[in-house]
């Protein structure tokens, strides 16, 4: 079993405890069915037992959580877990006995079955904790559960933070590097740690290395320096926290609640997995439905004009990484990766006859389902822009690069609100970015489904698409 990649440690811990909840319910229900098999009850008598087992699983989902069995920091202590299992599962058993007494059905259940279920569940829950403790020790040894923190700052505030974080390796916290606000401090050492570079170097590091949190420990005055650093860090998909100007407060062991949250990473915890599952499941279904249509479109393109069926272009995606986007070719000549990309206009002579229909109906974007299945894009998200446009607007519009904190999408919140097609002024792009950032900050599965349904029903045909 492996926990690799750039998934933040906070998400990994949340996923582990979430899976553990599910496993515990399976153990409760499975142990009840096992006890039913041991009791050799006939099928007719088994029905009321099945109801009791399902009720036990429902109660366990609540009582075990109330007993504190899913606090990640406690999972490593088997003694602590056994005691809490006794309290949690004992409460479930007491609740079931009370329900049976109040409904006057206690005499309908086999005592052998009841005891077998009680003790086999208790043993099963302990066995799960033993196996989990072994796996957690392995993951900790590999560093997969370590909270990796980067510090921005080389002054007194940074030294104060580093002193407090030092010695907390046993609690799973590790400082992976210190970074200066600019390039003026090469080779400097802060509290025994070398300065690894500037904020730009830190941003590059977040694209290749797991960074869970960035702590900005800079003086608040002059404010221009702090504002520039925070503006740069707005584009990274990492929690960014700011040390208060009064930084002589002790940091708490967990959570760093005395720090100010500046940027919160989007799609935390299970949200990231839900969105990935959405992309893979819905993307696969849509691809299967679209394949016959895509084959007919490919034939029409070949008959209409010479050239390839697909148009490929470099775009910026998640974490500002470049990827190749696929679309059906709609022009006689495509600029591809040209330094200056000219957006299509009304009655553009470069657009083919078939291409005009494809662009107006947005069908030219169907091949981007390949990008979704490859993991470059999502079904819903900020639309990716050509590299030349991206680099231009990143210098013109504040917060533009924050769009890249999630994967780009085939459709998005801005698009269903009419903000698609050519952007002739910075104000038009500014409005589009505002919708994109609203989507990122307010993501939910229902929000995605709303955008997808609206796209299919109302937004496929657009008068602004040339």
């Amino acid at each position: 079993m492996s926990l690799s990649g750039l998934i933040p440690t906070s998400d990994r811990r949340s996923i582990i405890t979430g899976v553990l909840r599910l496993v515990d319910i399976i153990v409760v229900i499975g142990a009840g069915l096992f006890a039913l098999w041991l009791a050799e009850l006939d099928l007719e008598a088994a029905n009321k037992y099945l109801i009791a087992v399902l009720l036990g699983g429902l109660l366990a989902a609540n009582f075990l959580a109330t007993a504190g069995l899913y606090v990640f920091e406690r999972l490593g202590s088997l003694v602590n877990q056994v005691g809490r299992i006794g309290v949690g599962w004992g409460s479930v058993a007491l609740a079931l006995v009370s329900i049976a007494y109040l409904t006057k059905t206690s005499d309908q259940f086999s005592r052998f079955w009841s005891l077998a279920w009680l003790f086999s569940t208790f043993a099963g829950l302990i066995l799960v904790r033993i196996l989990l403790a072994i796996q957690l020790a392995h993951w900790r040894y590999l560093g997969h559960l370590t909270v990796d923190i980067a510090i921005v700052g080389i002054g007194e505030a940074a030294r104060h933070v580093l002193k407090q974080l030092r010695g907390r390796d046993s609690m799973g916290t590790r400082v992976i590097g210190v970074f200066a606000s600019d390039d003026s401090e090469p080779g400097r050492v802060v509290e025994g740690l070398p300065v690894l570079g500037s904020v730009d170097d830190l941003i590059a590091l977040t694209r290749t290395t797991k960074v869970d949190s960035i702590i900005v420990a800079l003086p608040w005055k002059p404010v221009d320096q702090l504002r520039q650093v925070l503006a740069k860090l707005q584009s990274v998909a990492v929690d960014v926290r700011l040390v208060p100007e009064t930084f002589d407060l002790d940091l708490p062991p967990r959570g760093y609640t005395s720090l100010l949250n500046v940027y919160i990473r989007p799609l935390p915890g299970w949200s990231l997995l839900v969105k990935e599952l959405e992309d893979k499941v819905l993307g696969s279904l849509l691809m299967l439905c679209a394949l016959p249509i895509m084959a007919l479109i490919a034939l029409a393109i070949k008959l209409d004009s010479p050239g390839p069926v697909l148009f490929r272009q470099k775009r910026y995606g998640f974490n500002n990484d470049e990827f190749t986007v696929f679309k059906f070719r709609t022009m006689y000549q495509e600029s591809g990766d040209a330094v200056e990309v000219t957006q299509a206009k009304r009655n553009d002579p470069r657009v083919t006859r078939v291409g005009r229909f494809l662009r107006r109906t947005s069908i030219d974007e169907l091949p981007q389902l390949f990008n979704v299945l490859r993991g470059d894009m999502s079904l819903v998200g900020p639309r990716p822009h050509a590299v030349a446009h991206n680099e231009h607007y990143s210098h013109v519009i504040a917060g533009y690069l924050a769009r890249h904190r999630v994967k780009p999408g085939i459709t998005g919140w801005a698009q269903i609100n009419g903000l698609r097609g050519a952007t002739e002024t910075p104000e038009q792009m500014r409005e589009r970015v505002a919708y994109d950032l609203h989507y990122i900050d307010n993501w939910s599965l229902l929000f995605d489904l709303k955008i997808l349904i609206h796209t299919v029903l109302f937004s496929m045909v657009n008068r602004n698409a040339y």
Side-chain angles (χ1 to χ4, degrees), residues 7 23 31 35 54 62 86 119 121 143 186 225 245 255 280 298 303 308 332:
I7 300 176
V23 170
L54 293 176
N62 294 279
F119 287 109
T121 297
Q225 179 192 40
E245 198 162 18
K280 293 299 184 286
L303 294 176
Y332 291 106

Side-chain angles (χ1 to χ4, degrees), residues 207-377:
R207 299 177 187 171
T208 58
T209 304
K210 180 178 72 69
V211 179
D212 295 294
S213 181
I214 296 173
I215 297 178
V216 179
L218 293 173
W220 286 25
K221 296 179 181 179
V223 71
D224 288 343
Q225 179 192 40
L226 182 60
R227 182 182 291 117
Q228 290 174 5
V229 168
L230 293 180
K232 287 184 177 181
L233 294 176
Q234 188 178 8
S235 65
V236 299
V238 175
D239 291 332
V240 178
R241 295 181 169 89
L242 179 63
V243 175
E245 198 162 18
T246 304
F247 51 81
D248 55 351
L249 301 173
D250 286 338
L251 293 179
R254 301 182 182 92
Y256 314 110
T257 53
S258 64
L259 303 181
L260 305 178
N261 290 323
V262 181
Y263 305 123
I264 303 300
R265 180 178 47 81
L267 301 175
W270 285 92
S271 297
L272 181 61
L273 286 185
V274 170
K275 188 161 179 63
E276 287 290 325
L277 187 62
E278 170 198 338
D279 288 335
K280 293 299 184 286
V281 174
L282 288 183
S284 299
L285 292 175
L286 290 172
M287 176 65 78
L288 289 174
C289 295
L291 280 176
I293 300 173
M294 294 171 68
L296 293 175
I297 293 172
L299 178 61
I301 291 172
K302 293 299 289 184
L303 294 176
D304 183 49
S305 62
V309 169
L310 293 180
F311 164 60
R312 296 171 173 84
Q313 189 181 62
K314 292 293 184 181
R315 302 278 175 103
Y316 278 119
F318 175 69
N319 244 346
N320 296 322
D321 287 336
E322 283 190 13
F323 72 99
T324 300
V325 71
F326 302 115
K327 300 178 71 173
F328 281 123
R329 180 177 61 84
T330 58
M331 294 185 177
Y332 291 106
Q333 293 181 347
E334 301 281 16
S335 56
D337 295 323
V339 175
E340 188 172 334
V341 180
T342 304
Q343 293 181 320
K345 300 178 180 180
R346 189 182 298 275
N347 299 320
D348 196 314
R350 298 174 298 165
V351 180
T352 65
R353 291 175 298 174
V354 171
R356 200 170 305 280
F357 169 77
L358 296 179
R359 296 174 76 92
R360 182 59 60 88
T361 57
S362 301
I363 296 177
D364 62 316
E365 296 177 354
L366 278 178
Q368 289 173 30
L369 289 170
F370 289 112
N371 289 113
V372 172
L373 297 181
R374 281 175 31 156
D376 300 324
M377 296 178 63

